[in-house]
Amino acid sequence: MSQIAQPQGLGTVVFTTAADDYPAPSNRAPKFFGDNRAARRVVDRLTYGFTRYEMDLLRYKGLEGYIRYHLNPAGIDDSALDAYIAANYPALVMTPQVLSTQQSGDLFNQMVRSRLMRAVFSRRQLFERLVECWTDHFNIWIRDNPPSFLKVADDRDVIRASALGTFPTLLRASAHSPAMLTSLNNDTNTAAAPNENYARELMELHSLSVTGGYSQSDVQQVARCFTGWTYISAAGATQWQFRFNSGVHATGSKTVLGQVIPYQSGASGQQEGETVLNILADHPSTRSFVAYKLLRFFHSHTPAQSDIDAVAQIYASTGGDIKAMLDHVLHKAVALAAPPKFKRPMHLLASTLRALSAKVVFPNNLQNPLAAAGHTPFDWQAPDGYPDSLQAWSALLLARWNFGSSLMNNEYGNPTSNPPTNVSALYTDTVGDAVTAAAVVDAIDAAAFQHTMPKAERDALLAYLTPASNPGSTKIREAMGMAVAMPSFQWY
Amino acid sequence: MPELDPIRDGAPDSNACEEYNALSRRRFMLWSGAATAAAFTTPLWFPRVTFARFPSSRDVIVSVFLRGACDGLTMCVPYGDAAYYTARPSANAATPGIGVPPPGSVNGCTDLNGFFGLPPGMANLYPIYQAGHLAIVHATGSTDPSRSHFDAQKFMEVGKPADPNIFTGWLGRHIASVNPADPTATVRAIGIGYQMPLTLAGSLKGVPVPDLSTYNITGSSATRTARLGSISSQYATQLDPVKTASANTLATIAAMSTVGAGSYVPPTTTFPYPPTSGTGRSTFALALKQTAALIRADIGVEAVAIDKSGWDTHSAQGVVAGTMHTNMLDLANTLRAFYEDVAIDAGRNVTIVVMSEFGRRVAQNASLGTDHGHGNVMLVIGRKINGGQVVTQWPGLGAGQLYQNLDLNVTIDFRDILAEIVNKRLENGNLANVFPGYTPTFRNIAVAG
């Protein structure tokens, strides 16, 4: 099967992450000599979970080559997925004006499903992980109104467009995003009675951090600087695009973090907000906070201060170059000695589908387990983004245990258009013609875990698969579901 | 409800002693196979016992957190303070503001005591106030100066302002510092949601449950027990918090299958819950309705924490119609239904406390909303609450009376209220553990015993 195939009678694109469906690495001489565990750690830290293909890439590119490969996503051919996304999620390329005419539930579904498909099937895996990191950092609740449609543009024009540039560029792009401005009420921030919502979260969540050294007065002054930052409300092709409305801009000079920002009249008034963004982007607290966020996402739930300082130093010396900071973080994160991180539910779902080389026929119902675990993309209401801590995600284990169970019970398959179902192909690809319990567990360990499953978990599956001589397909399916519910698969 | 023989299905004999009933029900739960019991047996919420198995005057506490900083000056309107309408012109004014009109006006508030009133969205709480079971605390909150939602929520939930090194919640520490009200309880604290609310962090036998009626492992019921056993055995060697979470998960699956929250029918229709299914359903109402089933099932759960969000009203606040009005209606109607359902039921006393991280700016902004403020309201509901009063040391809303010249001052620390509840209604004398470094002043909000 090629990487995209038309299954019988469905006309639906099937995607798989199976290694033999991907182009072979150009240079076949191995350059990475770590064992399976070491290789899995490297791949797990750069992607949404190891696949046979990514493991091969690492072996033939070597550690440095593999990191460089993923740090330059523009050089990775992702045209197959791009075509699928374009064909199935047309809203993603619409202008804000056209988006405003669309049904919000449909936009929500297109955003969530495309996010999930990209996480599972994009070959620009590190880029997609980074997108998730910044999506949380600049969180916008998609079900807010109007961000339901503006978030589609924000995701494309802010987060994805600037994810791998510099942090100051990303910060500025977000500040000019109508989705951000409306969700934090800056569209109604006017001289008469400034609205502090955006000003506060800009400093607390996007740049300085809550301990970054600003006062209530700074919040009020920043709010005054941003009076008039809104969107075009007049009907037409440019409706819902950024606009500075000088008519409601606060007069008088402002003092932000001890720095006087002189009043500028007319259209130049926008420069006051731009100055604030420059001050924040260059602030030591911002450097540390961004360093902390990157380390927390890619390296450890609880980054060490010395690591934060090192990454902040790279921010200072490179003007906030995300690629440079990430390069440093990844080199720390891929070490076997780095502390493991607990997968968030979407990560668990994506990594399961990747490990099992799932052929996704019908992604729509894959939203269900994300909702059941409380981790639907773009659906965190508060502006701080989904939490990324062990404490937050380790209490609701049941959703994790159920995911594999429901997947292998075909609860996420296409309810109307079988065959082929997700599960039968997934089952066949993983287990092949294994019959005995021992052969089945070997097959699951090999195909889905790249021979990294802990012995205790193998033994637990063996004990479940009775009679050992021929446990039968129902129990084998259940064991596959159990395998991804086991503790070792919750960490990366 | 299928026709069932309550005796055969394990219901206690109402003539037997309490100890026997407790024992027989435990035994029944064991041999029925907890994970599959619900499908074949009467749910435990079903009315059949007239006394609690372990009679304790300790209340079940339901802690509701309004995320996003609710506007206390709308939820309990100080219409008698002239400065209120200066800062917030009436919604009936020629240029409408976001002041809730005084009693007797169009969309006016319901008078409480000649000075404060309930806005239309909260009016359905008035009968509880009249019955003496609702106390409203005003100009209360945390003295921490933060206007960050996330810091302020954290400090309030851990029960100690400005301490970044405390990671357990006030209610979690309460649970951990008292013997269980029911020695056989397998679940003592539930946070309704996907994550454990910080309020309950540190509790023993505490677990987050998004939906009490569906908390079970999917797939074949015939292999559930074996699959759960196999998976959970591997978690037994994990480190905490994962290891304990696994044990709690198993216990909760078994417990929830006996509660039968999905089939719960309140015994009274005096004031129905807002719709809990279909379009426009209320997740808050569903959470409280399931909590009622949980309390009636009497399985020893002592604390439930529930979040309700959507209070960050920086613009188009909508005090008598619109966003906040709708949210208040959902809050008040649900609380009223829950009150009529279980809070006045003599079988088990319940105390409900409602709080939020801080209040909102006294003056409205140009977006007809309000920015982050300071002092706020708390609501306390229960049969043993000294209700029918607004408990306050009103600092005033005029010039020179505001916190940082902007916000309502905090004149009653929120811990005074919580500590009195913990002490009198939850019967925990170890307040130094629940609220470290703080000596509370009781405000006569509750009666003991």
Side-chain angles (χ1 to χ4, degrees):
Chain A
M1 187 175 100
S2 70
Q3 56 181 295
I4 307 181
Q6 301 293 327
Q8 312 85 297
L10 280 182
T12 310
V13 176
V14 173
F15 272 96
T16 178
T17 58
D20 51 3
D21 293 331
Y22 280 71
S26 53
N27 182 348
R28 304 290 296 187
K31 292 181 187 157
F32 182 88
F33 301 100
D35 64 11
N36 286 325
R37 271 183 71 235
R40 175 179 165 179
R41 162 52 63 96
V42 175
V43 172
D44 265 355
R45 285 305 175 111
L46 271 72
T47 69
Y48 276 104
F50 59 86
T51 61
R52 276 172 279 177
Y53 177 66
E54 289 288 335
M55 300 281 275
D56 279 354
L57 273 185
L58 168 63
R59 292 197 185 284
Y60 295 120
K61 286 181 181 295
L63 179 62
E64 292 307 317
Y66 185 68
I67 291 176
R68 272 199 304 281
Y69 167 81
H70 274 301
L71 277 174
N72 294 287
I76 303 173
D77 178 13
D78 214 14
S79 53
L81 180 67
D82 289 343
Y84 176 88
I85 297 283
N88 289 277
Y89 309 112
L92 270 53
V93 295
M94 291 175 182
T95 65
Q97 192 276 325
V98 176
L99 284 167
S100 71
T101 66
Q102 305 294 303
Q103 204 263 330
S104 63
D106 183 46
L107 294 179
F108 176 85
N109 287 336
Q110 290 196 38
M111 284 287 280
V112 172
R113 292 166 190 171
S114 60
R115 181 79 201 93
L116 186 58
M117 288 299 279
R118 282 166 158 161
V120 178
F121 294 112
S122 175
R123 291 194 209 150
R124 297 169 178 169
Q125 281 283 299
L126 179 64
F127 178 77
E128 294 299 335
R129 293 265 291 134
L130 194 57
V131 164
E132 185 183 0
C133 176
W134 297 137
T135 298
D136 279 329
H137 186 83
F138 295 100
N139 188 56
I140 295 171
W141 186 41
I142 195 169
R143 288 197 284 154
D144 210 348
N145 189 22
S148 55
F149 65 90
L150 290 175
K151 176 60 195 173
V152 182
D154 178 271
D155 182 59
R156 174 188 66 215
D157 301 334
V158 176
I159 304 295
R160 299 183 69 85
S162 299
L164 206 47
T166 71
F167 186 79
T169 302
L170 182 58
L171 184 71
R172 284 189 202 99
S174 172
H176 292 81
S177 169
M180 183 60 81
L181 293 172
T182 57
S183 80
L184 292 177
N185 308 111
N186 205 76
D187 55 328
T188 55
N189 178 20
T190 63
N195 188 311
E196 298 168 10
N197 201 13
Y198 178 65
R200 177 182 306 281
E201 306 304 6
L202 170 66
M203 290 193 282
E204 176 180 336
L205 300 176
H206 301 167
S207 58
L208 302 176
S209 89
V210 70
T211 56
Y214 61 92
S215 66
Q216 171 63 21
S217 167
D218 289 322
V219 172
Q220 291 170 302
Q221 296 287 303
V222 169
R224 292 179 66 222
C225 289
F226 279 101
T227 45
W229 285 50
T230 182
Y231 54 81
I232 296 169
S233 51
T238 60
Q239 190 181 11
W240 297 106
Q241 293 181 14
F242 176 80
R243 169 195 182 216
F244 176 70
N245 178 7
S246 60
V248 298
H249 186 63
T251 57
S253 73
K254 293 93 180 170
T255 304
V256 173
L257 298 165
Q259 197 165 324
V260 176
I261 301 176
Y263 170 64
Q264 301 192 52
S265 62
S268 300
Q270 183 184 335
Q271 293 310 310
E272 297 173 25
E274 305 287 359
T275 302
V276 171
L277 293 170
N278 291 340
I279 293 171
L280 296 176
D282 284 346
H283 198 283
S285 295
T286 300
R287 294 174 201 150
S288 293
F289 191 45
V290 170
Y292 165 79
K293 281 293 192 77
L294 285 172
L295 283 159
R296 195 183 70 175
F297 194 83
F298 288 100
H299 179 244
S300 157
H301 286 299
T302 50
Q305 188 61 48
S306 57
D307 291 340
I308 294 171
D309 293 344
V311 178
Q313 181 56 45
I314 297 170
Y315 186 119
S317 62
T318 64
D321 185 79
I322 293 166
K323 194 178 290 190
M325 291 187 278
L326 193 52
D327 196 5
H328 178 91
V329 171
L330 290 173
H331 276 87
K332 293 194 70 70
V334 296
L336 269 178
K341 276 198 72 188
F342 201 68
K343 291 173 187 173
R344 304 198 292 183
M346 189 182 87
H347 193 153
L348 174 67
L349 184 150
S351 62
T352 299
L353 296 172
R354 289 173 62 76
L356 293 173
S357 300
K359 292 170 174 57
V360 171
V361 182
F362 185 75
N364 298 14
N365 293 344
L366 289 169
Q367 280 176 246
N368 300 348
L370 292 175
H375 198 210
T376 302
F378 315 113
D379 202 18
W380 182 259
Q381 188 167 356
D384 59 343
Y386 278 108
D388 191 6
S389 68
L390 176 59
Q391 211 68 43
W393 296 108
S394 60
L396 187 58
L397 293 176
L398 182 61
R400 295 166 180 272
W401 298 354
N402 275 342
F403 171 60
S405 163
S406 293
L407 177 74
M408 295 312 298
N409 211 27
N410 208 12
E411 289 172 27
Y412 308 133
N414 186 339
T416 55
S417 318
N418 288 324
T421 65
N422 296 346
V423 173
S424 59
L426 190 149
Y427 177 94
T428 310
D429 283 2
T430 303
V431 179
D433 51 8
V435 174
T436 66
V440 166
V441 172
D442 277 346
I444 293 173
D445 190 4
F449 286 79
Q450 304 299 304
H451 306 284
T452 58
M453 187 179 272
K455 181 173 184 305
E457 293 181 6
R458 285 178 52 102
D459 289 347
L461 294 185
L462 278 174
Y464 183 75
L465 288 166
T466 53
S469 58
N470 187 359
S473 64
T474 300
K475 278 206 157 176
I476 293 173
R477 279 178 188 230
E478 289 178 338
M480 288 177 65
M482 289 159 65
V484 294
M486 292 297 184
S488 74
F489 201 71
Q490 312 305 308
W491 301 87
Y492 70 104
Chain B
M1 181 62 52
E3 297 260 331
L4 290 169
D5 175 352
I7 300 300
R8 194 196 64 211
D9 285 311
D13 176 355
S14 59
N15 295 317
C17 74
E18 293 161 22
E19 203 178 348
Y20 167 78
N21 281 341
L23 200 65
S24 63
R25 181 145 73 168
R26 280 306 135 179
R27 192 182 302 142
F28 158 68
M29 286 165 63
L30 284 175
W31 44 249
S32 66
T36 53
F40 308 109
T41 61
T42 309
L44 285 185
W45 60 260
F46 198 70
R48 57 189 160 187
V49 271
T50 52
F51 45 80
R53 287 171 303 117
F54 294 93
S56 156
S57 46
R58 198 190 291 176
D59 286 8
V60 174
I61 182 163
V62 178
S63 178
V64 176
F65 206 105
L66 305 182
R67 307 270 170 194
C70 71
D71 182 23
L73 295 174
T74 293
M75 293 178 74
C76 182
V77 185
Y79 73 86
D81 192 324
Y84 172 75
Y85 291 109
T86 308
R88 303 179 175 193
S90 165
N92 293 340
T95 304
I98 61 162
V100 179
S105 318
V106 176
N107 287 326
C109 52
T110 302
D111 185 39
L112 291 170
N113 60 1
F115 188 86
F116 293 105
L118 291 173
M122 301 281 281
N124 281 328
L125 292 179
Y126 187 60
I128 312 181
Y129 184 88
Q130 278 182 306
H133 295 159
L134 163 64
I136 300 173
V137 190
H138 220 321
T140 184
S142 167
T143 54
D144 189 89
S146 177
R147 289 188 182 86
S148 153
H149 291 298
F150 312 105
D151 261 15
Q153 286 178 19
K154 181 172 70 183
F155 293 145
M156 191 170 259
E157 293 193 80
V158 301
K160 189 177 182 193
D163 186 343
N165 296 315
I166 182 166
F167 301 103
T168 53
W170 66 272
L171 195 46
R173 286 193 303 278
H174 157 70
I175 293 286
S177 60
V178 292
N179 287 323
D182 175 349
T184 66
T186 56
V187 184
R188 293 182 63 198
I190 288 180
I192 297 191
Y194 301 98
Q195 280 119 20
M196 198 62 170
L198 186 53
T199 298
L200 284 174
S203 61
L204 300 174
K205 297 178 179 172
V207 67
V209 179
D211 182 334
L212 272 58
S213 70
T214 59
Y215 195 87
N216 207 340
I217 194 147
T218 55
S220 159
S221 58
T223 58
R224 262 178 195 165
T225 307
R227 286 182 290 125
L228 270 176
S230 178
I231 294 170
S232 61
S233 71
Q234 297 305 302
Y235 282 78
T237 57
Q238 289 271 295
L239 297 175
D240 272 333
V242 179
K243 177 184 175 178
T244 297
S246 171
N248 288 340
T249 301
L250 280 183
T252 307
I253 289 172
M256 290 307 113
S257 71
T258 64
V259 169
S263 64
Y264 180 60
V265 181
T268 169
T269 53
T270 309
F271 193 98
Y273 287 92
T276 53
S277 62
T279 312
R281 65 186 174 277
S282 162
T283 52
F284 184 62
L286 180 66
L288 265 294
K289 192 176 176 182
Q290 294 191 337
T291 300
L294 185 70
I295 292 169
R296 286 196 180 281
D298 195 21
I299 61 167
V301 172
E302 297 173 59
V304 178
I306 303 173
D307 288 343
K308 181 164 175 56
S309 56
W311 302 96
D312 196 16
T313 49
H314 285 272
S315 81
Q317 188 158 321
V319 294
V320 292
T323 304
M324 187 174 174
H325 173 73
T326 306
N327 213 5
M328 287 190 294
L329 269 182
D330 186 37
L331 173 73
N333 290 352
T334 299
L335 289 176
R336 172 76 181 282
F338 183 74
Y339 168 81
E340 303 287 354
D341 183 354
V342 290
I344 52 171
D345 187 294
R348 173 67 74 195
N349 281 324
V350 180
T351 289
I352 305 144
V353 60
V354 182
M355 71 198 94
S356 188
E357 63 263 35
F358 43 67
R360 306 194 72 84
R361 190 69 40 85
V362 172
Q364 67 188 40
N365 63 28
S367 325
L368 290 180
T370 45
D371 291 315
H372 298 185
H374 195 56
N376 205 356
V377 297
M378 290 173 77
L379 311 178
V380 190
I381 297 172
R383 225 164 51 90
K384 296 296 184 76
I385 296 305
N386 290 324
Q389 57 169 340
V390 179
V391 178
T392 190
Q393 296 174 351
W394 190 244
L397 297 175
Q401 297 175 316
L402 300 179
Y403 177 74
Q404 296 179 348
N405 296 317
L406 296 169
D407 301 327
L408 179 63
N409 261 300
V410 171
T411 54
I412 297 179
D413 192 297
F414 75 106
R415 291 170 293 181
D416 292 347
I417 306 305
L418 297 181
E420 187 173 341
I421 293 169
V422 167
N423 183 249
K424 292 182 178 172
R425 301 309 319 146
L426 307 185
E427 299 183 333
N428 186 350
N430 190 0
L431 293 181
N433 181 47
V434 181
F435 297 103
Y438 184 70
T439 306
T441 304
F442 287 180
R443 307 288 175 168
N444 195 25
I445 196 114
V447 295

